[in-house]
């Protein structure tokens, strides 16, 4: 009888422990300044590295901003974007949808700087998000207090990428639906596409609006410049041929993008649709008039994007190198 009572007690104790562990796992959440005890210098190190890299290579800030979109949109914000290809699995970096993305090697520089201070503590997913945050500031955008505590995924999502990422040639219906699936509403979509205020569009992505006939939506003075920059109807994808997204302030994240697309100077089809679709045009007009409103909605949308289905607690891992899952070391 006594042994039976001990057996029942053991089962109940194990069940209680399992429930507690499960509850504890569920209660693990992203936090502002997650590393304040485990690596208090982490965010300062990342910020200084982003500043240093921006001084040497201005285009790194564009890369950090694009990284958060391409990584966090695809199922989870877990730095799967950064993984290299293996013999069996293609890297997200090497898909057609990642054409023109670069500067991944500098993420490794940031990771190494953080590892010197706190080995095995700070995830590549958090480095990706925080570098985007600080890159936005370098481009003249708002400071956004983003949470940390993400862990790194172990696999590439190249095989499902197309199911998640909206393409620049898709209808506004599809674009809005894809963003809504991760919690970003219409003004948030309009604000996030304001990222096209900086950087450049490769001719490969643009020529379908120039050849065989020029899209009549383009103003004549704008067409001349684009044809000069993209003289071939089938451009060499390895050639560095591009048009600046915003010829006025190409290195600054600002609301000139919205003024340009209202004047039909948006380079991509999605830019043109944004300024003409009845669901998005009111927000385009509002952001064209107010940079404060643009920054407010942009900050809100970036926050939602950065918190999309993160790995926390004991899920995933903390990679030693951002381009390799730990099992491959």
């Amino acid at each position: 009888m006594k042994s039976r009572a001990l057996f029942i007690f053991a089962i109940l104790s194990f069940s209680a422990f399992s429930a507690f562990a499960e509850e504890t796992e569920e209660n693990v959440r992203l936090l502002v300044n997650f590393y304040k005890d485990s690596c208090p210098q982490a965010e300062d190190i990342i910020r200084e590295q982003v500043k240093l890299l921006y001084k040497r290579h201005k285009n790194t800030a564009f890369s950090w901003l694009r990284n958060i979109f391409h990584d966090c949109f695809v199922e989870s914000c877990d730095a799967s974007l950064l993984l290299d290809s293996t013999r069996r699995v293609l890297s997200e970096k090497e898909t057609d949808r990642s054409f023109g993305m670069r500067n991944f090697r500098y993420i490794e520089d940031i990771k190494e700087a953080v590892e010197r201070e706190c080995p095995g503590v700070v995830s590549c997913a958090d480095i990706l998000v925080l570098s985007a945050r600080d890159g936005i500031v370098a481009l003249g955008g708002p400071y956004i207090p983003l949470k940390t505590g993400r862990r790194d995924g172990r696999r590439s999502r190249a095989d499902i990428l197309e199911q998640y990422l909206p393409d620049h040639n898709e209808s506004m219906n599809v674009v809005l639906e894809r963003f809504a699936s991760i919690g970003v509403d219409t003004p948030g979509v309009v604000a996030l596409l304001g990222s096209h205020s900086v950087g450049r569009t490769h001719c490969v992505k643009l020529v379908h609006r120039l050849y065989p006939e020029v899209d009549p939506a383009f103003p004549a003075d704008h067409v001349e410049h684009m044809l000069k920059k993209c003289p071939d109807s089938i451009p060499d994808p390895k050639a560095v041929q591009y048009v600046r997204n915003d010829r006025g302030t190409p290195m600054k994240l600002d609301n000139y993008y919205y003024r340009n697309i209202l004047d039909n100077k948006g380079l991509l089809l999605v830019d043109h649709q944004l300024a003409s679709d009845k669901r998005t045009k009111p927000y385009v007009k509002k952001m064209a008039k107010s940079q404060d409103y643009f920054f407010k909605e942009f900050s809100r949308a970036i926050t939602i994007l950065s918190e999309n289905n993160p790995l926390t607690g004991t899920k995933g891992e903390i990679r030693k190198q951002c381009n390799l899952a730990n099992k491959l070391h």
Side-chain angles (χ1 to χ4, degrees):
M1 187 74 179
K2 185 177 180 181
S3 60
R4 183 181 178 188
L6 287 172
F7 176 71
I8 293 172
F9 176 76
I11 291 176
L12 290 174
S13 298
F14 177 76
S15 299
F17 175 78
S18 298
F20 173 76
E22 196 172 302
E23 183 180 348
T24 302
E25 179 65 30
E26 288 177 356
N27 287 337
V28 175
R29 296 287 184 267
L30 300 181
L31 300 170
V32 172
N33 204 10
F34 177 86
Y35 299 106
K36 65 179 180 180
D37 297 321
S38 58
C39 188
Q41 299 302 314
E43 295 200 22
D44 288 337
I45 292 170
I46 294 168
R47 185 178 298 111
E48 288 307 309
Q49 286 293 311
V50 168
K51 287 181 180 178
L52 181 64
L53 286 165
Y54 183 67
K55 287 181 180 178
R56 296 175 179 172
H57 315 281
K58 297 293 185 186
N59 62 19
T60 53
F62 310 147
S63 298
W64 308 153
L65 182 52
R66 194 174 175 190
N67 283 352
I68 194 173
F69 173 73
H70 278 257
D71 184 67
C72 294
F73 213 111
V74 184
E75 199 168 59
S76 174
C77 201
D78 67 349
S80 62
L81 171 70
L82 304 179
L83 291 170
D84 287 345
S85 291
T86 65
R87 284 179 296 177
R88 296 183 178 180
V89 181
L90 180 69
S91 167
E92 292 172 40
K93 295 182 289 189
E94 295 181 25
T95 63
D96 291 341
R97 295 297 294 279
S98 297
F99 177 81
M101 295 186 74
R102 56 200 187 282
N103 293 322
F104 293 110
R105 66 186 182 278
Y106 297 129
I107 286 284
E108 297 299 337
D109 291 348
I110 300 174
K111 174 67 170 173
E112 287 173 10
V114 174
E115 286 292 300
R116 285 194 291 270
E117 180 72 18
C118 311
V121 175
V122 181
S123 69
C124 297
D126 278 339
I127 289 173
L128 182 149
V129 166
L130 294 179
S131 62
R133 179 195 67 184
D134 298 331
I136 288 166
V137 172
L139 292 167
Y143 175 81
I144 309 170
L146 299 178
K147 296 177 181 179
T148 44
R150 296 165 193 80
R151 289 169 65 84
D152 301 320
R154 297 188 176 98
R155 64 182 182 87
S156 164
R157 291 191 170 85
D159 58 328
I160 60 170
L161 188 148
E162 293 287 347
Q163 300 172 33
Y164 289 86
L165 276 182
D167 187 65
H168 62 90
N169 284 325
E170 286 179 313
S171 70
M172 189 52 61
N173 281 339
V174 172
V175 172
L176 293 176
E177 285 171 6
R178 294 277 177 93
F179 275 101
S181 70
I182 65 166
V184 178
D185 59 14
T186 301
V189 173
V190 176
L192 284 178
L193 287 173
S195 299
H196 293 173
S197 166
V198 294
R200 60 195 187 181
T201 295
H202 288 264
C203 293
V204 170
K205 303 288 187 180
L206 180 59
V207 289
H208 66 284
R209 297 192 71 194
L210 297 175
Y211 302 97
E213 295 180 354
V214 174
D215 187 330
F218 283 133
D221 60 334
H222 207 52
V223 170
E224 184 180 353
H225 173 73
M226 288 190 291
L227 289 174
K228 182 178 179 181
K229 291 290 185 177
C230 302
D232 304 311
S233 59
I234 305 177
D236 179 358
K238 294 181 181 179
V240 185
Q241 292 180 311
Y242 61 87
V243 179
R244 289 286 183 190
N245 290 341
D246 179 354
R247 292 167 64 188
T249 56
M251 303 294 291
K252 190 174 181 182
L253 183 67
D254 57 25
N255 67 336
Y256 275 74
Y257 164 75
Y258 301 103
R259 301 177 192 182
N260 285 335
I261 64 175
L262 286 171
D263 288 337
N264 290 320
K265 293 181 180 178
L267 301 181
L268 299 172
L269 187 59
V270 70
D271 301 325
H272 176 68
Q273 292 184 95
L274 203 67
S276 57
D277 190 283
K278 64 181 180 180
R279 293 164 294 183
T280 54
K281 188 173 183 178
Y283 299 109
V284 170
K285 286 183 172 180
K286 193 170 181 179
M287 291 180 196
K289 291 179 180 177
S290 173
Q291 182 150 289
D292 287 343
Y293 177 66
F294 163 44
F295 281 175
K296 174 188 170 185
E297 292 298 328
F298 182 80
S299 299
R300 184 174 65 86
I302 285 287
T303 300
I304 293 169
L305 182 62
S306 73
E307 296 177 11
N308 182 34
N309 194 30
L311 302 179
T312 58
T314 57
K315 297 175 183 176
E317 63 184 17
I318 305 296
R319 286 182 213 149
K320 295 176 183 178
Q321 291 179 217
C322 290
N323 63 327
L324 295 173
N326 288 344
K327 63 183 179 181
L328 296 177
H329 277 271

